[in-house]
Amino acid sequence: MAQPRIYWTRSRTKAAQASVSGSVGLPYFPAPTLREPTPLQHVPPPSTLRIMPLHNSTDETFPAGPPDPFAQVKLEIGEEVKIVSENWIHSLYSALINPADIDTYLSSDASGYRKADGFWVELLHTPASKESLSALVSRIASRVITELGEPCGEGVTREVIDSHSATSKGTGLRPDISFKATGPSFQRGKLPNGYAGGVSYSNLASIIEVELDSKANDTELVAQTALYCKYISMMQPNRNFTRTLIVTERSFRLVHHDRSGFYVSPRMNIHRHAHTFIRIVLGLSSTKEAILGFDTSVQWKCDHETGRKSAGTITTVDANRQPVVYELKMDRPPFVRAGLCGRGTTCWYAIHPQTGEEVLIKDTWRESSKTSEYPYLVAAQGVEGVVQVLSFQDYCAETNAYRPADFVTKNYVCRTKSRVVMRCYGKTLEHFTSRFQAISALRDAIQGHRGLLSKSILHRDVSLQNILMGVMGAAPGTRGILIDLDMAIWTHADLSVLRAERGIGTPRFQSVSVMRNLALQLPPVHDHLDDIESFFYVLCHLVLLFDSPGKRRKEMDERLGRWEEENIEAAADLKISLLINSWECSTWWGEATEELFCGFQEIIEPIVRQRSGIRGSARSNAVERRDRLEAVAKGPVGDIYDKVLKLFDNALAAYEREDQASAAEEPSLEPSTPLVETEPATYPSSKGTPGLANHKRRSEEDHPDASPSKRTRTSLDPNVDFEVRKDVNDRPKAALPKAVRRSARSTPAVLSPALAPPSGPSGISKSTAVPLLKRTSRSKARSVPKKPAQPGTRLNTSPPKPVRRSARLNRP
């Protein structure tokens, strides 16, 4: 009898409050007669599914994120989880063991299986508790691995750990049963004893989640195991897929996760299908890492005493398609995109075997129907301010290989893994240590975007994380590097192709037009003006979010976080609110940075206003509106780049003048650091530099590469060896600040009375139509000078003395 799919409908806003609305089709096992099992039956789906964590989610080692991680993981899973064919599950791992060997084992007294009657003796009666069931299943699995498991090589072991019976030394979310592993891709956690019996998420081969049959809820159990899959993938970055098991006293179910999503097996009777159960246990505990789902082109060596990874290599091809082995930099851990599904970007830092050059090796899972970024990277060779490629390897893996041949389900997209080797640069832009470094890097990235456009390439995914700072002492033009061309497109492509893709980019940095095009029947193409607007939002994050390096404004952080709202209209309104209002930077940034911000704002605002008027026009049909929207970007392309780059050049020149003025005023004050760092490392020291104070403050995150906005160092395993880049939905949604900070040097924007937003904490219009905007001209001087100006004299607009005194220290 065909079993229904598992459904859950979700609402992102309600999920943050730990509830998800929807309907669920649940297969159910009534109390069976073991020799003649009762057929599967159905129960009416509940109208509401409430997320109930099965373990304490307030432990100190629980990762940062939403208050209820199960709400978030259900959003990532989606509305439907496919239940694959039972026949395919029976064939899974069939090459691992001969069926005759399983028969022999089941016939022995040591197995605990009564073959003549067809049931596991220990599971014949319903256990008294979940803990009792966990102990029984642990013993069965342990015997299977001991008697039928593959031989272990040197340094390779597999052990079954019952979290309920093992001595627990750590805290946090923990599986019921763990397959503890040692070997090349596993390492001992920093906690001496892990969360139970020396287990941490960095040394798990797989897990089993158990539940009494009478209490089993399929959707909750799948979400539970999905969360474990996420943590395992985060801690083991060379995983291509992860599989886990759900077991009751009567049934078992396989759960598979990869970058295309999840599927599960039907709930199968554990007594009648003992052969399949044994094969799955052997597969999930296999000593062959490829069977466990590892990418074996990444190899590690572990220190025998510490159990930690001490060295590693990654194999790919060079520009001539010849194999090449790079040595991984163990002092520069990779970062991983933490989302369950999607591109799953993982970046490895390595050393070129011939040149000794540091390189960045990027693994990503693109949709198989999409073009890889390699053609764009080849075309971008020689373009300053854009990442430079060394080699490329495609079709490293494909998610179709992990599924039945006839796999079809709603929203399923096959993904292909590719690997690109690029030159290595500095950290992402949010790790700036001075305003000169931040603004020059952003300036050169914009120049690089212009260079890409001259090669007929439009980036379409400008964001804070896709701009790297150049290497130490980089020349102008390469002080900032634009990376990640996965979303790029040829501008000379057919219009039907250009118009087909909607809503491309990172929501937090998308232009208002791109966000609102999702609601149009005939949307216009994504153009260079949209990307330039995205650069403006990057500048907003730098000068409004950061009071100084590593020091963030909580109020602004919450406000900018609302740009990721699932309600696209509300998120677009928030961006318009920022465009039409005046804002002040912290004194650390100085007057020149405020001039840059205001000037850039005045370039972007009329574009948004013009497009908003066209989009809201009632006198044009859909085709005419689309053509008019596209016509906005058909003027001279260089004009807007010239205006924007001039603003940045003026700011950088002002920083230079302030340096000179400070040097003249304080000749005895020596800079704490040279203008060009002489350390061989490419990145700032984690110890900081004495004397810089807040003007060269490091990020406050634990890991020096941890992004304050999009990446976090997970605390599941305190000795994690890589960064985790969070998806935009991994953060809780916060309310808007109660008050809008207006600049003392600027005149506030004015809306026409009929179009003014309603009063309230946000001051943002909630209507779906975009109002026409008016604003008064900005004053170029402070409205309230510190001292009254004498007639005929200029106002003193130089930065305060503390800023001038430290200006020459505020250099890269």
Side-chain angles (χ1 to χ4, degrees), residues 761-780:
S762 65
I764 298 171
S765 170
K766 295 301 180 183
S767 62
T768 56
V770 179
L772 296 177
L773 310 176
K774 295 182 180 180
R775 72 179 290 112
T776 61
S777 61
R778 283 188 175 87
S779 169
K780 296 299 182 182

PDB file of all heavy atoms in Angstrom, residues 761-780:
ATOM      1  N   PRO A 761       6.674  52.839  15.521  1.00  0.00           N
ATOM      2  CA  PRO A 761       8.080  52.591  15.808  1.00  0.00           C
ATOM      3  C   PRO A 761       8.940  52.535  14.569  1.00  0.00           C
ATOM      4  O   PRO A 761      10.078  52.950  14.578  1.00  0.00           O
ATOM      5  CB  PRO A 761       8.061  51.236  16.536  1.00  0.00           C
ATOM      6  CG  PRO A 761       6.676  51.115  17.063  1.00  0.00           C
ATOM      7  CD  PRO A 761       5.792  51.843  16.092  1.00  0.00           C
ATOM      8  N   SER A 762       8.408  51.986  13.463  1.00  0.00           N
ATOM      9  CA  SER A 762       9.240  51.821  12.287  1.00  0.00           C
ATOM     10  C   SER A 762       9.202  53.024  11.384  1.00  0.00           C
ATOM     11  O   SER A 762      10.142  53.311  10.665  1.00  0.00           O
ATOM     12  CB  SER A 762       8.792  50.584  11.493  1.00  0.00           C
ATOM     13  OG  SER A 762       7.493  50.786  10.998  1.00  0.00           O
ATOM     14  N   GLY A 763       8.114  53.747  11.357  1.00  0.00           N
ATOM     15  CA  GLY A 763       8.008  54.874  10.452  1.00  0.00           C
ATOM     16  C   GLY A 763       8.030  54.457   9.011  1.00  0.00           C
ATOM     17  O   GLY A 763       8.456  55.200   8.131  1.00  0.00           O
ATOM     18  N   ILE A 764       7.539  53.249   8.716  1.00  0.00           N
ATOM     19  CA  ILE A 764       7.624  52.711   7.368  1.00  0.00           C
ATOM     20  C   ILE A 764       6.238  52.401   6.859  1.00  0.00           C
ATOM     21  O   ILE A 764       5.405  51.845   7.557  1.00  0.00           O
ATOM     22  CB  ILE A 764       8.481  51.423   7.359  1.00  0.00           C
ATOM     23  CG1 ILE A 764       9.892  51.791   7.807  1.00  0.00           C
ATOM     24  CG2 ILE A 764       8.490  50.768   6.007  1.00  0.00           C
ATOM     25  CD1 ILE A 764      10.742  50.604   8.036  1.00  0.00           C
ATOM     26  N   SER A 765       6.010  52.734   5.610  1.00  0.00           N
ATOM     27  CA  SER A 765       4.711  52.462   5.007  1.00  0.00           C
ATOM     28  C   SER A 765       4.538  50.979   4.815  1.00  0.00           C
ATOM     29  O   SER A 765       5.436  50.292   4.348  1.00  0.00           O
ATOM     30  CB  SER A 765       4.613  53.160   3.646  1.00  0.00           C
ATOM     31  OG  SER A 765       3.468  52.726   2.957  1.00  0.00           O
ATOM     32  N   LYS A 766       3.416  50.466   5.151  1.00  0.00           N
ATOM     33  CA  LYS A 766       3.135  49.054   4.961  1.00  0.00           C
ATOM     34  C   LYS A 766       2.325  48.810   3.696  1.00  0.00           C
ATOM     35  O   LYS A 766       1.940  47.688   3.405  1.00  0.00           O
ATOM     36  CB  LYS A 766       2.357  48.498   6.168  1.00  0.00           C
ATOM     37  CG  LYS A 766       3.175  48.517   7.455  1.00  0.00           C
ATOM     38  CD  LYS A 766       4.438  47.704   7.310  1.00  0.00           C
ATOM     39  CE  LYS A 766       5.250  47.721   8.572  1.00  0.00           C
ATOM     40  NZ  LYS A 766       6.500  47.010   8.457  1.00  0.00           N
ATOM     41  N   SER A 767       2.014  49.817   2.948  1.00  0.00           N
ATOM     42  CA  SER A 767       1.276  49.619   1.711  1.00  0.00           C
ATOM     43  C   SER A 767       2.176  48.961   0.691  1.00  0.00           C
ATOM     44  O   SER A 767       3.389  49.099   0.705  1.00  0.00           O
ATOM     45  CB  SER A 767       0.782  50.964   1.168  1.00  0.00           C
ATOM     46  OG  SER A 767       1.878  51.784   0.875  1.00  0.00           O
ATOM     47  N   THR A 768       1.575  48.254  -0.221  1.00  0.00           N
ATOM     48  CA  THR A 768       2.371  47.573  -1.223  1.00  0.00           C
ATOM     49  C   THR A 768       2.832  48.521  -2.309  1.00  0.00           C
ATOM     50  O   THR A 768       3.821  48.273  -2.978  1.00  0.00           O
ATOM     51  CB  THR A 768       1.540  46.445  -1.864  1.00  0.00           C
ATOM     52  OG1 THR A 768       0.330  46.998  -2.389  1.00  0.00           O
ATOM     53  CG2 THR A 768       1.208  45.389  -0.844  1.00  0.00           C
ATOM     54  N   ALA A 769       2.150  49.633  -2.523  1.00  0.00           N
ATOM     55  CA  ALA A 769       2.582  50.601  -3.513  1.00  0.00           C
ATOM     56  C   ALA A 769       3.716  51.435  -2.946  1.00  0.00           C
ATOM     57  O   ALA A 769       3.724  51.804  -1.783  1.00  0.00           O
ATOM     58  CB  ALA A 769       1.422  51.509  -3.909  1.00  0.00           C
ATOM     59  N   VAL A 770       4.704  51.751  -3.781  1.00  0.00           N
ATOM     60  CA  VAL A 770       5.845  52.537  -3.338  1.00  0.00           C
ATOM     61  C   VAL A 770       5.508  54.009  -3.509  1.00  0.00           C
ATOM     62  O   VAL A 770       5.160  54.451  -4.591  1.00  0.00           O
ATOM     63  CB  VAL A 770       7.089  52.206  -4.181  1.00  0.00           C
ATOM     64  CG1 VAL A 770       8.264  53.038  -3.726  1.00  0.00           C
ATOM     65  CG2 VAL A 770       7.381  50.738  -4.074  1.00  0.00           C
ATOM     66  N   PRO A 771       5.581  54.815  -2.459  1.00  0.00           N
ATOM     67  CA  PRO A 771       5.224  56.223  -2.594  1.00  0.00           C
ATOM     68  C   PRO A 771       6.264  56.989  -3.385  1.00  0.00           C
ATOM     69  O   PRO A 771       7.434  56.624  -3.416  1.00  0.00           O
ATOM     70  CB  PRO A 771       5.189  56.699  -1.140  1.00  0.00           C
ATOM     71  CG  PRO A 771       6.127  55.794  -0.440  1.00  0.00           C
ATOM     72  CD  PRO A 771       5.998  54.464  -1.114  1.00  0.00           C
ATOM     73  N   LEU A 772       5.816  58.056  -4.057  1.00  0.00           N
ATOM     74  CA  LEU A 772       6.755  58.977  -4.661  1.00  0.00           C
ATOM     75  C   LEU A 772       7.446  59.715  -3.533  1.00  0.00           C
ATOM     76  O   LEU A 772       6.840  60.093  -2.542  1.00  0.00           O
ATOM     77  CB  LEU A 772       6.018  59.958  -5.575  1.00  0.00           C
ATOM     78  CG  LEU A 772       5.327  59.324  -6.790  1.00  0.00           C
ATOM     79  CD1 LEU A 772       4.585  60.394  -7.558  1.00  0.00           C
ATOM     80  CD2 LEU A 772       6.344  58.643  -7.681  1.00  0.00           C
ATOM     81  N   LEU A 773       8.739  59.934  -3.685  1.00  0.00           N
ATOM     82  CA  LEU A 773       9.538  60.457  -2.597  1.00  0.00           C
ATOM     83  C   LEU A 773       9.942  61.894  -2.865  1.00  0.00           C
ATOM     84  O   LEU A 773      10.211  62.279  -3.991  1.00  0.00           O
ATOM     85  CB  LEU A 773      10.805  59.612  -2.421  1.00  0.00           C
ATOM     86  CG  LEU A 773      10.554  58.114  -2.347  1.00  0.00           C
ATOM     87  CD1 LEU A 773      11.874  57.394  -2.267  1.00  0.00           C
ATOM     88  CD2 LEU A 773       9.703  57.791  -1.137  1.00  0.00           C
ATOM     89  N   LYS A 774       9.962  62.700  -1.828  1.00  0.00           N
ATOM     90  CA  LYS A 774      10.508  64.046  -1.877  1.00  0.00           C
ATOM     91  C   LYS A 774      11.544  64.166  -0.781  1.00  0.00           C
ATOM     92  O   LYS A 774      11.457  63.540   0.250  1.00  0.00           O
ATOM     93  CB  LYS A 774       9.409  65.097  -1.652  1.00  0.00           C
ATOM     94  CG  LYS A 774       8.349  65.137  -2.746  1.00  0.00           C
ATOM     95  CD  LYS A 774       7.357  66.249  -2.447  1.00  0.00           C
ATOM     96  CE  LYS A 774       6.276  66.334  -3.520  1.00  0.00           C
ATOM     97  NZ  LYS A 774       5.316  67.418  -3.228  1.00  0.00           N
ATOM     98  N   ARG A 775      12.529  64.981  -0.986  1.00  0.00           N
ATOM     99  CA  ARG A 775      13.451  65.254   0.086  1.00  0.00           C
ATOM    100  C   ARG A 775      14.019  66.644  -0.104  1.00  0.00           C
ATOM    101  O   ARG A 775      14.079  67.171  -1.206  1.00  0.00           O
ATOM    102  CB  ARG A 775      14.581  64.228   0.167  1.00  0.00           C
ATOM    103  CG  ARG A 775      15.606  64.317  -0.917  1.00  0.00           C
ATOM    104  CD  ARG A 775      16.703  63.275  -0.717  1.00  0.00           C
ATOM    105  NE  ARG A 775      17.537  63.601   0.421  1.00  0.00           N
ATOM    106  CZ  ARG A 775      17.536  62.871   1.528  1.00  0.00           C
ATOM    107  NH1 ARG A 775      16.764  61.841   1.648  1.00  0.00           N
ATOM    108  NH2 ARG A 775      18.324  63.205   2.524  1.00  0.00           N
ATOM    109  N   THR A 776      14.407  67.233   0.995  1.00  0.00           N
ATOM    110  CA  THR A 776      15.031  68.543   0.909  1.00  0.00           C
ATOM    111  C   THR A 776      16.507  68.373   0.625  1.00  0.00           C
ATOM    112  O   THR A 776      17.066  67.291   0.785  1.00  0.00           O
ATOM    113  CB  THR A 776      14.860  69.284   2.251  1.00  0.00           C
ATOM    114  OG1 THR A 776      15.510  68.518   3.262  1.00  0.00           O
ATOM    115  CG2 THR A 776      13.390  69.440   2.596  1.00  0.00           C
ATOM    116  N   SER A 777      17.149  69.410   0.189  1.00  0.00           N
ATOM    117  CA  SER A 777      18.577  69.335  -0.099  1.00  0.00           C
ATOM    118  C   SER A 777      19.351  69.241   1.207  1.00  0.00           C
ATOM    119  O   SER A 777      18.946  69.776   2.228  1.00  0.00           O
ATOM    120  CB  SER A 777      19.021  70.565  -0.881  1.00  0.00           C
ATOM    121  OG  SER A 777      18.781  71.731  -0.114  1.00  0.00           O
ATOM    122  N   ARG A 778      20.490  68.570   1.144  1.00  0.00           N
ATOM    123  CA  ARG A 778      21.306  68.403   2.332  1.00  0.00           C
ATOM    124  C   ARG A 778      22.241  69.585   2.511  1.00  0.00           C
ATOM    125  O   ARG A 778      22.793  70.120   1.564  1.00  0.00           O
ATOM    126  CB  ARG A 778      22.153  67.132   2.237  1.00  0.00           C
ATOM    127  CG  ARG A 778      21.373  65.871   2.493  1.00  0.00           C
ATOM    128  CD  ARG A 778      22.381  64.732   2.559  1.00  0.00           C
ATOM    129  NE  ARG A 778      21.707  63.493   2.917  1.00  0.00           N
ATOM    130  CZ  ARG A 778      21.156  62.703   2.022  1.00  0.00           C
ATOM    131  NH1 ARG A 778      21.189  63.010   0.763  1.00  0.00           N
ATOM    132  NH2 ARG A 778      20.577  61.589   2.411  1.00  0.00           N
ATOM    133  N   SER A 779      22.438  69.948   3.724  1.00  0.00           N
ATOM    134  CA  SER A 779      23.452  70.944   4.041  1.00  0.00           C
ATOM    135  C   SER A 779      24.804  70.261   4.058  1.00  0.00           C
ATOM    136  O   SER A 779      24.938  69.149   4.518  1.00  0.00           O
ATOM    137  CB  SER A 779      23.163  71.565   5.412  1.00  0.00           C
ATOM    138  OG  SER A 779      24.254  72.331   5.839  1.00  0.00           O
ATOM    139  N   LYS A 780      25.834  70.918   3.544  1.00  0.00           N
ATOM    140  CA  LYS A 780      27.167  70.324   3.488  1.00  0.00           C
ATOM    141  C   LYS A 780      27.988  70.583   4.745  1.00  0.00           C
ATOM    142  O   LYS A 780      29.119  70.177   4.862  1.00  0.00           O
ATOM    143  CB  LYS A 780      27.934  70.863   2.271  1.00  0.00           C
ATOM    144  CG  LYS A 780      27.285  70.470   0.956  1.00  0.00           C
ATOM    145  CD  LYS A 780      27.239  68.963   0.810  1.00  0.00           C
ATOM    146  CE  LYS A 780      26.634  68.545  -0.513  1.00  0.00           C
ATOM    147  NZ  LYS A 780      26.532  67.104  -0.646  1.00  0.00           N
TER     148      LYS A 780
END
